[in-house]
Amino acid sequence: MRLRHNPDDSARTLASEVEVADGLVSRGLGLMFRRSIPDDYALAFRHDDAKKRGLHMVFVPFDIDVVWTEDEEVTAVETLSAWTGRGTAVADDLYELPAGAASEVAVGDRVWLEV
């Protein structure tokens, strides 16, 4: 599974090592208590409907990029700081990546999981 990004007519891979947080525990923990994540990694949170979705960086000791999407269209992109970062946006899916991995992703771009 890969996380793909298409800002125009050319697609590129944001992450080729994708973990889906699909259970109560994995969604609740997210990246908490991990020391680091690989450069080619994304943690995906997939939902059936779009609504305001927030996250926090408590017990996450490294910065991350977060991409929120609705129907694969990016609604927000933020870099959250270790321990104290917070972010909220409307989305049906959101993706957590290493800091800097989403530097070329902009609102309105297309981001999706490719199986």
Side-chain angles (χ1 to χ4, degrees):
M1 184 178 327
R2 298 184 302 172
L3 183 62
R4 303 282 285 164
H5 171 228
N6 188 1
D8 44 43
D9 291 333
S10 61
R12 69 183 187 100
T13 299
L14 290 175
S16 59
E17 184 181 335
V18 179
E19 178 182 353
V20 178
D22 54 5
L24 183 62
V25 173
S26 63
R27 283 181 188 249
L29 287 176
L31 296 174
M32 290 192 306
F33 307 110
R34 299 186 193 195
R35 292 178 187 222
S36 64
I37 54 175
D39 290 339
D40 200 24
Y41 175 87
L43 180 59
F45 296 83
R46 307 197 73 199
H47 303 277
D48 293 330
D49 59 337
K51 66 180 185 180
K52 196 173 188 179
R53 307 223 180 255
L55 59 109
H56 63 79
M57 295 293 288
V58 175
F59 298 113
V60 180
F62 48 87
D63 297 351
I64 65 169
D65 285 351
V66 182
V67 178
W68 286 264
T69 64
E70 183 176 352
D71 296 325
E72 298 182 352
E73 182 177 331
V74 175
T75 58
V77 182
E78 283 189 55
T79 299
L80 301 182
S81 58
W83 297 101
T84 60
R86 296 173 98 47
T88 304
V90 173
D92 52 12
D93 298 328
L94 65 93
Y95 306 97
E96 299 178 348
L97 303 124
S103 62
E104 296 180 26
V105 178
V107 171
D109 288 356
R110 182 174 174 231
V111 170
W112 73 100
L113 280 179
E114 182 178 83
V115 182

